[in-house]
Coordinates of all heavy atoms in Angstrom, one line a residue:
G1 N 97.6 75.9 105.6 CA 97.8 74.7 106.4 C 96.5 73.9 106.6 O 96.5 72.9 107.3
K2 N 95.4 74.4 105.9 CA 94.1 73.7 106.1 C 93.6 73.3 104.7 O 94.0 73.8 103.7 CB 93.1 74.6 106.8 CG 93.5 74.9 108.2 CD 92.4 75.8 108.9 CE 92.7 76.1 110.3 NZ 91.7 76.9 111.0
E3 N 92.6 72.4 104.8 CA 91.9 71.9 103.6 C 90.8 72.9 103.2 O 90.3 73.7 104.1 CB 91.3 70.5 103.8 CG 92.4 69.4 104.0 CD 93.3 69.3 102.8 OE1 92.8 69.3 101.6 OE2 94.5 69.2 103.0
R4 N 90.4 72.9 102.0 CA 89.3 73.7 101.5 C 88.0 73.3 102.2 O 87.7 72.1 102.3 CB 89.2 73.7 100.0 CG 88.3 74.7 99.4 CD 88.3 74.6 97.9 NE 89.6 74.9 97.4 CZ 89.9 75.0 96.1 NH1 89.0 74.9 95.2 NH2 91.2 75.3 95.7
E5 N 87.2 74.3 102.6 CA 86.0 74.0 103.3 C 84.9 74.9 102.6 O 85.1 76.0 102.1 CB 86.1 74.4 104.8 CG 86.3 75.8 105.1 CD 86.3 76.1 106.6 OE1 85.7 75.3 107.3 OE2 86.8 77.2 107.0
L6 N 83.7 74.3 102.7 CA 82.5 75.0 102.2 C 82.1 76.1 103.2 O 81.9 75.8 104.4 CB 81.3 74.0 101.9 CG 80.0 74.7 101.5 CD1 80.2 75.3 100.1 CD2 78.9 73.6 101.5
V7 N 81.9 77.3 102.7 CA 81.5 78.4 103.6 C 80.0 78.6 103.5 O 79.3 78.8 104.5 CB 82.3 79.7 103.2 CG1 81.7 80.9 104.0 CG2 83.7 79.5 103.5
A8 N 79.5 78.7 102.3 CA 78.1 79.0 102.0 C 77.6 78.4 100.7 O 78.5 78.3 99.8 CB 77.8 80.5 102.1
A9 N 76.4 78.1 100.5 CA 75.8 77.6 99.3 C 74.4 78.2 99.1 O 73.7 78.5 100.0 CB 75.8 76.1 99.3
I10 N 74.1 78.3 97.8 CA 72.8 78.8 97.5 C 72.2 78.0 96.3 O 73.0 77.7 95.3 CB 72.8 80.3 97.1 CG1 71.4 80.9 96.9 CG2 73.7 80.6 96.0 CD1 71.4 82.4 96.9
T11 N 71.0 77.7 96.3 CA 70.4 76.9 95.2 C 70.2 77.8 94.0 O 70.3 79.0 94.0 CB 69.0 76.3 95.6 OG1 68.2 77.3 96.2 CG2 69.3 75.2 96.7
S12 N 69.9 77.1 92.9 CA 69.9 77.8 91.6 C 69.0 79.0 91.4 O 69.4 80.0 90.8 CB 69.6 76.7 90.5 OG 68.3 76.1 90.7
A13 N 67.8 78.9 92.1 CA 66.9 80.0 92.0 C 67.0 80.9 93.2 O 66.3 81.9 93.3 CB 65.5 79.4 91.9
G14 N 67.9 80.6 94.1 CA 68.2 81.5 95.2 C 67.2 81.2 96.4 O 67.3 82.0 97.4
G15 N 66.5 80.2 96.4 CA 65.4 80.0 97.4 C 65.9 79.4 98.7 O 65.3 79.5 99.7
T16 N 67.1 78.7 98.6 CA 67.6 78.0 99.8 C 69.1 78.3 100.0 O 69.8 78.3 99.0 CB 67.4 76.5 99.7 OG1 66.0 76.2 99.5 CG2 67.9 75.8 101.0
T17 N 69.5 78.6 101.2 CA 70.9 78.9 101.5 C 71.3 78.0 102.7 O 70.5 77.6 103.5 CB 71.1 80.3 101.8 OG1 70.4 80.7 102.9 CG2 70.8 81.2 100.6
N18 N 72.6 77.8 102.7 CA 73.1 77.2 103.9 C 74.5 77.7 104.2 O 75.2 78.1 103.3 CB 73.1 75.6 103.9 CG 74.1 75.1 102.9 OD1 73.9 75.0 101.7 ND2 75.3 74.7 103.4
Y19 N 75.0 77.6 105.5 CA 76.2 78.2 105.9 C 76.9 77.3 106.8 O 76.3 76.6 107.6 CB 75.9 79.6 106.6 CG 75.2 80.6 105.8 CD1 73.9 80.7 105.7 CD2 76.0 81.5 105.0 CE1 73.2 81.6 105.0 CE2 75.3 82.4 104.2 CZ 73.9 82.5 104.2 OH 73.3 83.4 103.4
A20 N 78.3 77.4 106.8 CA 79.1 76.8 107.8 C 78.8 77.4 109.2 O 78.5 78.6 109.2 CB 80.5 76.9 107.5
D21 N 78.8 76.6 110.2 CA 78.5 77.2 111.5 C 79.4 78.4 111.9 O 79.0 79.3 112.6 CB 78.7 76.1 112.6 CG 77.6 75.1 112.6 OD1 76.6 75.3 112.0 OD2 77.8 74.0 113.2
A22 N 80.7 78.3 111.4 CA 81.6 79.4 111.8 C 81.2 80.8 111.2 O 81.7 81.8 111.7 CB 83.0 79.0 111.3
V23 N 80.4 80.8 110.2 CA 80.0 82.1 109.6 C 78.6 82.4 109.7 O 78.2 83.5 109.3 CB 80.5 82.1 108.1 CG1 81.9 81.7 107.9 CG2 79.6 81.2 107.3
K24 N 77.8 81.6 110.3 CA 76.3 81.9 110.4 C 76.1 83.2 111.2 O 76.7 83.4 112.2 CB 75.6 80.7 111.1 CG 75.4 79.5 110.3 CD 74.7 78.4 111.0 CE 74.5 77.2 110.1 NZ 73.8 76.1 110.9
G25 N 75.2 84.0 110.7 CA 74.9 85.3 111.3 C 75.9 86.4 110.9 O 75.6 87.6 111.2
R26 N 76.9 86.0 110.2 CA 77.9 87.1 109.8 C 78.0 87.2 108.2 O 78.2 88.3 107.7 CB 79.3 86.8 110.3 CG 79.4 86.7 111.8 CD 80.8 86.7 112.3 NE 81.4 85.4 111.9 CZ 82.5 85.3 111.2 NH1 83.1 86.4 110.8 NH2 83.1 84.2 110.9
F27 N 77.9 86.0 107.5 CA 78.0 86.0 106.1 C 76.6 85.8 105.4 O 75.8 85.1 106.0 CB 78.9 84.9 105.6 CG 80.4 85.1 106.0 CD1 80.8 86.0 106.8 CD2 81.3 84.2 105.4 CE1 82.2 86.2 107.1 CE2 82.6 84.3 105.7 CZ 83.1 85.3 106.5
T28 N 76.4 86.4 104.3 CA 75.2 86.2 103.5 C 75.6 85.9 102.0 O 76.3 86.7 101.4 CB 74.3 87.5 103.6 OG1 74.0 87.8 104.9 CG2 73.0 87.2 102.8
I29 N 75.1 84.8 101.5 CA 75.3 84.5 100.1 C 74.0 84.9 99.3 O 72.9 84.8 99.8 CB 75.5 83.0 100.0 CG1 75.9 82.6 98.5 CG2 74.4 82.1 100.4 CD1 76.5 81.2 98.3
S30 N 74.2 85.4 98.1 CA 73.1 85.8 97.3 C 73.6 85.6 95.8 O 74.7 85.4 95.5 CB 72.7 87.2 97.6 OG 73.8 88.1 97.3
R31 N 72.6 85.8 94.9 CA 73.0 85.7 93.5 C 72.0 86.6 92.7 O 70.9 86.8 93.1 CB 72.9 84.3 93.0 CG 71.5 83.6 93.1 CD 71.6 82.1 92.9 NE 72.0 81.8 91.5 CZ 72.5 80.6 91.2 NH1 72.6 79.6 92.1 NH2 72.9 80.4 89.9
D32 N 72.5 87.0 91.5 CA 71.7 87.7 90.6 C 71.8 86.9 89.3 O 72.8 87.1 88.5 CB 72.1 89.1 90.4 CG 71.2 90.0 89.6 OD1 70.6 89.4 88.6 OD2 71.2 91.2 89.8
N33 N 70.8 86.1 89.0 CA 70.9 85.3 87.8 C 70.9 86.1 86.5 O 71.6 85.7 85.5 CB 69.8 84.2 87.8 CG 70.0 83.1 88.8 OD1 71.1 82.9 89.2 ND2 69.0 82.4 89.1
A34 N 70.2 87.2 86.4 CA 70.2 88.0 85.2 C 71.6 88.5 85.0 O 72.0 88.7 83.8 CB 69.2 89.1 85.4
K35 N 72.4 88.8 86.0 CA 73.7 89.3 85.9 C 74.8 88.2 85.9 O 76.0 88.5 85.7 CB 74.1 90.3 87.0 CG 73.3 91.6 87.0 CD 73.7 92.5 88.1 CE 72.9 93.8 88.1 NZ 73.3 94.7 89.2
K36 N 74.3 87.0 86.1 CA 75.2 85.8 86.1 C 76.3 86.0 87.1 O 77.5 85.8 86.9 CB 75.8 85.5 84.7 CG 74.7 85.2 83.7 CD 75.3 84.7 82.4 CE 76.0 85.8 81.7 NZ 76.5 85.4 80.3
T37 N 75.9 86.5 88.3 CA 76.9 86.8 89.3 C 76.4 86.3 90.7 O 75.2 86.5 91.0 CB 77.1 88.3 89.4 OG1 77.6 88.8 88.1 CG2 78.1 88.7 90.5
G38 N 77.3 85.8 91.5 CA 77.1 85.4 92.8 C 77.8 86.3 93.8 O 78.8 86.9 93.4
Y39 N 77.4 86.4 95.0 CA 77.9 87.3 96.0 C 78.1 86.7 97.3 O 77.3 85.8 97.7 CB 77.1 88.6 96.2 CG 76.7 89.3 94.9 CD1 75.6 89.0 94.2 CD2 77.6 90.3 94.4 CE1 75.3 89.7 93.0 CE2 77.3 90.9 93.2 CZ 76.1 90.7 92.5 OH 75.9 91.3 91.4
L40 N 79.1 87.1 98.1 CA 79.2 86.7 99.5 C 79.5 88.0 100.3 O 80.6 88.6 100.2 CB 80.3 85.7 99.7 CG 80.5 85.2 101.1 CD1 79.3 84.3 101.5 CD2 81.8 84.4 101.3
Q41 N 78.5 88.4 101.1 CA 78.7 89.6 101.9 C 79.2 89.1 103.3 O 78.5 88.2 103.9 CB 77.3 90.3 102.1 CG 77.4 91.5 103.1 CD 78.3 92.6 102.6 OE1 78.1 93.0 101.4 NE2 79.2 93.1 103.4
M42 N 80.3 89.6 103.7 CA 81.0 89.1 104.9 C 81.0 90.3 105.9 O 81.5 91.4 105.5 CB 82.4 88.6 104.6 CG 82.4 87.5 103.6 SD 84.1 86.8 103.4 CE 84.9 88.3 102.6

């Protein structure tokens, strides 16, 4: 019943992240460019 919302984002080199207020302090976004994989730890 809701629209899609941004939860977390990370820049290409992983240097900057941002989070929706609802998940700050609980979720962590990360990436491993060598593995071509992104992660969201909740």
Side-chain angles (χ1 to χ4, degrees):
K2 296 184 178 180
E3 296 298 315
R4 190 175 299 185
E5 64 175 341
L6 177 67
V7 173
I10 186 168
T11 50
S12 58
T16 302
T17 59
N18 71 275
Y19 300 91
D21 287 343
V23 307
K24 285 181 179 177
R26 299 189 297 121
F27 290 11
T28 302
I29 188 171
S30 62
R31 64 191 295 163
D32 186 331
N33 285 342
K35 295 181 178 179
K36 298 187 292 184
T37 303
Y39 305 95
L40 184 68
Q41 178 66 50
M42 304 183 292

